[in-house]
Amino acid sequence: MKERVSAGALRRQFRIQLFGGLRVVWPILFVLLGLMAALGLTVALLEDWSPFEGVYFAFVSGLTIGYGDLAPKTLVGRVLAISIGFLGILLTGLVAAVGVQALQSTAQGFRNGGGRP
């Protein structure tokens, strides 16, 4: 007979799996975030924006929020904005993949071993 597993135990195991996955990919996350910030600062220089506005633009654009309050006018700025968008897609995909892997590991662990992945 299968024992019931508490929601708290599931959440705890999911967090363990999630942080374990993030420990593996943190260098990639760090590089992606650094590249986005660097490209944002470069766009800020090209467009005569403050450094804060450049980094803000990079993350709002890269995370596909896109408020539209800042938009590059120069050709190079626009090309860099496209690059920021691709980096944002990679960042979002990587975080989603780690989350899905953590969910799958948690579910499989509780199905197979009663709480241990």
Side-chain angles (χ1 to χ4, degrees), residues 45-104:
L45 285 173
L46 292 169
E47 300 293 330
D48 251 355
W49 297 342
S50 72
F52 173 79
E53 287 175 322
V55 173
Y56 165 81
F57 168 77
F59 285 97
V60 166
S61 298
L63 296 174
T64 68
I65 298 167
Y67 293 125
D69 52 347
L70 295 171
K73 304 286 187 247
T74 64
L75 178 63
V76 176
R78 290 177 180 179
V79 170
L80 291 177
I82 292 169
S83 301
I84 289 169
F86 282 123
L87 289 174
I89 291 168
L90 291 173
L91 177 68
T92 303
L94 184 62
V95 172
V98 170
V100 167
Q101 179 63 35
L103 279 172
Q104 287 178 337

Side-chain angles (χ1 to χ4, degrees), residues 7-67:
L10 283 171
R11 282 191 296 272
R12 192 170 27 262
Q13 191 60 38
F14 172 73
R15 281 193 297 269
I16 290 168
Q17 294 294 326
L18 181 65
F19 290 120
L22 288 174
R23 267 188 295 173
V24 172
V25 299
W26 76 264
I28 299 167
L29 286 172
F30 183 75
V31 167
L32 289 174
L33 291 170
L35 281 172
M36 285 178 69
L39 288 175
L41 290 171
T42 305
V43 171
L45 285 173
L46 292 169
E47 300 293 330
D48 251 355
W49 297 342
S50 72
F52 173 79
E53 287 175 322
V55 173
Y56 165 81
F57 168 77
F59 285 97
V60 166
S61 298
L63 296 174
T64 68
I65 298 167
Y67 293 125

